[in-house]
Amino acid sequence: MPQRSLSDIVSCVSDYDPEAMTVPQAQQIIHDYVQPIASVERVAIRSALDRTLAADITSTIDVPANDNSAMDGYALRSADIVAGETLVLRIVGSVHAGQQFDGGVAAGECVRIMTGAAMPADCDTVVPQEFTEGRTADTVAIPAGSSISPIRPGDNRRLRGEDLRNGQVALRAGKILRPADIGLLASLGVVEVSVQRRLRVAFFSTGDELRSVGEPLDPGCVYDSNRYTLYGMLTRLGCEIIDMGVVKDDPVAMEAAFRSACEHADAVITSGGVSVGVADYTKQTMTKLGDMLFWKIGMRPGRPMAFGRIASQGRGAYLFGLPGNPVAVMVSFYFFVRDALLRMMGATASPLPRLHATSLSAIRKKPGRTEYQRGILAADSDGEWKVKLTGAQGSGILRSMSDANCIIVLDDAQGDIAAGDKVRVVLFDGLT
Ligand code: AMP
Ligand code: MG
């Protein structure tokens, strides 16, 4: 349950005005209000991919466990090296990966060694095979010729524990585990880890005009696309989804849907019906079931938004009431909901990657609100990032999101952009 009430959090925000919220204010309130779900399960490391690690992982071994060779070649004592002179060493043994050479190696001696094999105790350096010549059955010559770099003590030796030391924290709680992380867990011999259980997110679309795919499109109707973009974004974020379909603009149906959603999910996302149209019943239903704020955020697209917590039958969920327009849904998700869901997952979330790029398009922009323009970002032949608009930017034009690989974020103070100006872009393509 939240530790602080929404009104407590809101009272700390200076200039709070639900009719004119700034983007950073709304982001801050959401961030301060949502709490991690803190429910943990043990899973095999493969199943932990894309999940949030729930406890630190401390290595119980040194990785690698021995000093070992980084090359196929000869292990030698660096004290034998004399600068500028060819070194002829007697081969006293051979060691493969997975083996240990137990014998001694005296001055003037060496051991043939394969990549990954443990270093003989007396040796500290490996000379790669391709740097040697004049090999006989039991000697090898290492020329000091200028075509090869001189051998320095410690060359081509990987040190015990250089990847991770016994007792060192390998992965911190809160990390969303990526392929490298589950590989790292395997390298430590870890079989299972504790992860946060998947976040359950219920969503539905509201609107009498909405038809689901597979249904005929009646006059004046549109197909419901928001449930599909939400499905995609939530799935990429690793959520367990509960798709509740389309709910009519009807207070009874609406209440039943909100109740069911918050009884079964950690978070509920709705689209449509949060503005002031005559059929916008979501507001009254949300208020009836919980602690809700209704905002007009100084942004485009996506101005109206509801946020809070609703409850039914003693079970509660955070609620994000997004606007209906398809682009507004996606923008609101990336810039408000995503961070909140990651926080609920217990993830130490990194913000979406952002960079500066030169705008190839002139962009009209009114100061006083944040605008999210859909952009296509590409590097030019000099490797400089250039971004252009996708074309028509209406909040109902989902095509503009489909064509885009980034969002150009123009913050409140920004005025018109001339072609050639630098702009800030946030990437979403290919990311969670
Ligand atoms: P609303 O916020 O309910 O007034 O909806 C704003 C606009 O978004 C209207 O043109 C709706 O038809 C459209 N819209 C609402 N929900 C969806 C949806 N799920 N899929 C596609 N368009 C929608
Ligand atoms: Mg509607």
Side-chain angles (χ1 to χ4, degrees):
M1 285 299 286
Q3 289 152 0
R4 293 162 69 201
S5 72
L6 262 177
S7 51
D8 275 356
I9 289 166
V10 161
S11 65
C12 298
V13 177
S14 59
D15 306 329
Y16 179 77
D17 175 2
E19 295 294 310
M21 287 290 287
T22 65
V23 167
Q25 281 174 334
Q27 286 170 330
Q28 189 64 50
I29 291 171
I30 294 172
H31 185 84
D32 289 348
Y33 186 59
V34 295
Q35 299 292 322
I37 54 167
S39 169
V40 170
E41 59 194 25
R42 297 279 296 172
V43 296
I45 57 173
R46 279 189 185 167
S47 304
L49 183 65
D50 293 334
R51 306 284 299 270
T52 310
L53 190 63
D56 289 354
I57 298 292
T58 302
S59 180
T60 55
I61 55 171
D62 283 328
V63 183
N66 304 94
D67 288 2
N68 69 87
S69 177
M71 301 289 282
D72 293 331
Y74 297 87
L76 52 82
R77 302 155 57 106
S78 61
D80 285 346
I81 301 168
V82 180
E85 285 184 18
T86 293
L87 188 61
V88 179
L89 298 171
R90 203 161 67 80
I91 305 165
V92 295
S94 165
V95 57
H96 288 249
Q99 295 177 343
Q100 194 105 28
F101 179 81
D102 291 325
V105 181
E109 294 180 345
C110 69
V111 172
R112 180 147 164 73
I113 195 164
M114 306 308 150
T115 304
M119 291 290 285
D122 297 325
C123 300
D124 61 3
T125 302
V126 172
V127 59
Q129 174 145 342
E130 49 272 35
F131 287 9
T132 65
E133 57 186 38
R135 199 181 151 199
T136 69
D138 46 27
T139 63
V140 62
I142 304 157
S146 58
S147 63
I148 54 168
S149 52
I151 310 156
R152 286 159 317 217
D155 273 1
N156 304 309
R157 174 187 54 163
R158 301 169 179 152
L159 292 174
R160 170 182 181 150
E162 74 175 16
D163 189 345
L164 269 172
R165 292 204 170 282
N166 188 348
Q168 196 180 335
V169 174
L171 293 168
R172 297 252 174 229
K175 183 150 207 218
I176 295 180
L177 300 172
R178 301 166 305 151
D181 303 318
I182 61 169
L184 185 65
L185 288 167
S187 78
L188 302 177
V190 172
V191 178
E192 282 187 344
V193 286
S194 295
V195 293
Q196 301 290 352
R197 78 157 164 76
R198 273 185 209 283
L199 204 63
R200 284 193 278 274
V201 183
F203 56 91
F204 57 87
S205 299
T206 70
D208 288 344
E209 78 283 24
L210 301 179
R211 294 293 176 272
S212 295
V213 295
E215 290 176 358
L217 195 61
D218 300 322
C221 292
V222 292
Y223 281 120
D224 172 9
S225 55
N226 291 340
R227 279 192 298 129
Y228 291 83
T229 52
L230 283 170
Y231 161 85
M233 294 185 292
L234 289 167
T235 302
R236 283 202 166 174
L237 216 49
C239 300
E240 204 176 287
I241 56 159
I242 306 172
D243 181 346
M244 297 180 60
V246 175
V247 177
K248 294 277 181 216
D249 290 319
D250 162 64
V252 176
M254 205 69 94
E255 180 168 339
F258 276 116
R259 284 191 184 278
S260 167
C262 71
E263 286 164 21
H264 295 97
D266 304 301
V268 179
I269 303 176
T270 64
S271 68
V274 284
S275 42
V276 292
V278 283
D280 291 346
Y281 296 108
T282 23
K283 235 176 187 173
Q284 67 188 59
T285 316
M286 289 174 184
T287 312
K288 182 173 174 187
L289 298 181
D291 191 9
M292 295 300 304
L293 298 175
F294 297 92
W295 291 327
K296 291 203 176 78
I297 303 175
M299 62 186 276
R300 205 169 91 145
R303 193 154 172 255
M305 178 167 167
F307 168 67
R309 198 170 163 86
I310 54 170
S312 174
Q313 307 280 354
R315 303 183 68 173
Y318 296 100
L319 185 126
F320 302 87
L322 307 184
N325 275 309
V327 180
V329 166
M330 295 195 76
V331 166
S332 307
F333 185 92
Y334 282 125
F335 291 92
F336 296 92
V337 184
R338 178 183 182 274
D339 176 72
L341 297 181
L342 287 167
R343 191 161 150 71
M344 292 175 72
M345 288 175 199
T348 45
S350 42
L352 289 168
R354 48 189 56 200
L355 50 89
H356 282 88
T358 303
S359 179
L360 296 173
S361 314
I363 308 174
R364 295 190 59 190
K365 160 75 172 62
K366 276 196 208 145
R369 66 181 183 207
T370 301
E371 288 192 11
Y372 299 97
Q373 308 261 348
R374 277 70 74 202
I376 300 170
L377 181 74
D380 69 10
S381 53
D382 297 328
E384 295 288 326
W385 290 112
K386 300 280 163 68
V387 65
K388 62 179 182 195
L389 292 180
T390 52
Q393 297 282 311
S395 65
I397 303 177
L398 192 50
R399 166 90 190 277
S400 69
M401 279 304 280
S402 176
D403 287 345
N405 62 4
C406 70
I407 298 274
I408 304 169
V409 181
L410 305 173
D411 59 24
D412 288 19
Q414 182 71 55
D416 288 344
I417 298 286
D421 286 355
K422 286 275 189 201
V423 289
R424 190 156 58 91
V425 307
V426 171
L427 301 173
F428 57 79
D429 194 38
L431 294 166
T432 49

